Amino acid sequence: MDSLTQIVLGAACGEAVAGRKIGNRALLWGAVGGTIPDLDVLAALFTDEITATAFHRGFMHSFLFAALAPWGLAWLTRFFYNTNLHRLRAYKLGAALIWLLFFLLAAAGVNAIPLVMGGEYSWKVFVPTLLLGGWFAWWLWRDYWLRDLPAVDAPYSTWVSLFFWSIFTHPVLDCFTNYGTQIWQPFSDVRVAWTTVSIVDPLYTLPFGLCLIVLAWFPASSRGRTLLVWTGILWSTLYLSYTVWHKQRMNAIFEQHLRDRQITYTRFMTGPSIFNNIVWYGVAEGDTAYYYGMYGFNDQTPTIRPFSVLPKRHGLLDGIPQDDRALRFLRWFSDGYYNVSAGHSDTLLVNDLRFGLMGDSLTNDNYVFRFMLFRHSNGKWDVQGEPARREDPEAAKASFAELWRRIQGKN
């Protein structure tokens, strides 16, 4: 899922393992552990797009990495505290600025959700985040910058356990999304994707994060602190179970719809649309086309609508050698759920159907995830992720507004 969600889950794991021993530092280091697997995106700075995209959710999201990394991270953390580096003013200043920057980015993302959903900035979202930001800055000043921080003496085994759970739960949560996670690397590049939850789902993240924000006010030994962290973990577990139940219902509904229309297909998949778990989509593969339909659990009339036939147009790729690196990557990344359309000049647009649409219709060709396939002057084919969309920003806002209305059951 998104980085903020992984930080929340990692912080909860850190608190559950070591909160009574090291207080709020458990939240901090759990958040660090929850972030580490996603640092694989930095590969984009050193290599080409195909390699970087394939590397993301690769080895650093594997179970082997989760088993090995905690031992080294635990040693480094112990060294950090044993040498009192955490008390240096230069370090404290840098850490405070990083946390303030992170908060600003997170707050900007939360406040942008109503906008991208087709509405306007909401005072009901902005005012609480502003107040929370003021409290956070005050807390950093009073309890971090001005304080002479005490020594930290947690056993090595505690640090190993903290980093293991915060890292291990990261790829497990990612498996619930449609992106796919290579948990068996380096032994297999199979991408596990259960596709029950959106990559960004505020209803999962915000209540969970609120529990952690509140518990940070409690003393380390407080029973209320323990109750809050396990309340958050219980919310996480129940919500993910709820998404699995929704997927089972959606599978049955979509399969029945295909039977009713007497559509012959070889396989199908279902998944939730972006930002929610109410409006779902299904994609069935036929010989020459994909059949795409959407269903909202809040719909006033429970039926698959709209239902579209998407021509595969795989023949547009016939001029590319079957063993071409770019073509092999696209087939692997999309798990074969892709259709093709002509782009500008000699380019082709490959739409990954596993990610659904920006709204709840194909207006403006508004696929969520697409690639541009193009040929270099030397004749080699290459891939560029998510080229600029054809529609203008107002059309994109309209798509999200349409989706938001359907989430509410107003369509």
Side-chain angles (χ1 to χ4, degrees), residues 176 194-198 201 203 238-255 268-273 275-282 295-299 304 406-407:
F176 283 89
W194 299 321
T195 317
T196 73
V197 69
S198 171
D201 191 332
L203 193 56
L238 291 177
Y239 190 82
L240 291 176
S241 300
Y242 162 79
T243 68
V244 172
W245 174 62
H246 260 189
K247 184 175 182 69
Q248 291 174 342
R249 290 180 63 193
M250 179 61 185
N251 284 350
I253 292 168
F254 189 62
E255 196 168 15
F268 76 90
M269 63 156 291
T270 61
S273 55
F275 293 141
N276 78 103
N277 208 262
I278 300 299
V279 179
W280 282 63
Y281 61 87
Y295 180 85
F297 287 98
N298 288 340
D299 284 353
I304 297 290
R406 187 158 188 186
I407 291 171

Side-chain angles (χ1 to χ4, degrees), residues 128-281:
T129 54
L130 181 64
L131 294 174
L132 182 61
W135 167 81
F136 186 59
W138 171 75
W139 177 81
L140 281 175
W141 172 260
R142 186 198 67 176
D143 289 348
Y144 185 67
W145 180 255
L146 295 181
R147 284 180 60 196
D148 184 17
L149 299 178
V152 177
D153 186 22
Y156 178 69
S157 59
T158 297
W159 290 112
V160 172
S161 181
L162 182 152
F163 283 114
F164 170 76
W165 286 110
S166 60
I167 293 175
F168 175 77
T169 53
H170 183 124
V172 172
L173 180 59
D174 277 344
C175 285
F176 283 89
T177 70
N178 53 6
Y179 194 97
T181 312
Q182 300 173 66
I183 56 176
W184 307 117
Q185 281 281 10
F187 310 108
S188 171
D189 63 359
V190 170
R191 293 159 62 236
V192 178
W194 299 321
T195 317
T196 73
V197 69
S198 171
I199 290 177
V200 182
D201 191 332
L203 193 56
Y204 172 88
T205 308
L206 296 182
F208 198 177
L210 182 61
C211 288
L212 303 188
I213 291 171
V214 175
L215 75 81
W217 291 71
F218 286 75
S221 58
S222 169
R223 296 182 64 180
R225 189 178 181 113
T226 302
L227 177 63
L228 281 166
V229 71
W230 285 104
T231 297
I233 293 173
L234 179 62
W235 171 260
S236 168
T237 304
L238 291 177
Y239 190 82
L240 291 176
S241 300
Y242 162 79
T243 68
V244 172
W245 174 62
H246 260 189
K247 184 175 182 69
Q248 291 174 342
R249 290 180 63 193
M250 179 61 185
N251 284 350
I253 292 168
F254 189 62
E255 196 168 15
Q256 182 62 50
H257 184 83
L258 295 171
R259 284 198 297 266
D260 291 344
R261 284 178 170 258
Q262 298 183 336
I263 292 174
T264 302
Y265 62 94
T266 56
R267 58 176 181 159
F268 76 90
M269 63 156 291
T270 61
S273 55
I274 191 71
F275 293 141
N276 78 103
N277 208 262
I278 300 299
V279 179
W280 282 63
Y281 61 87

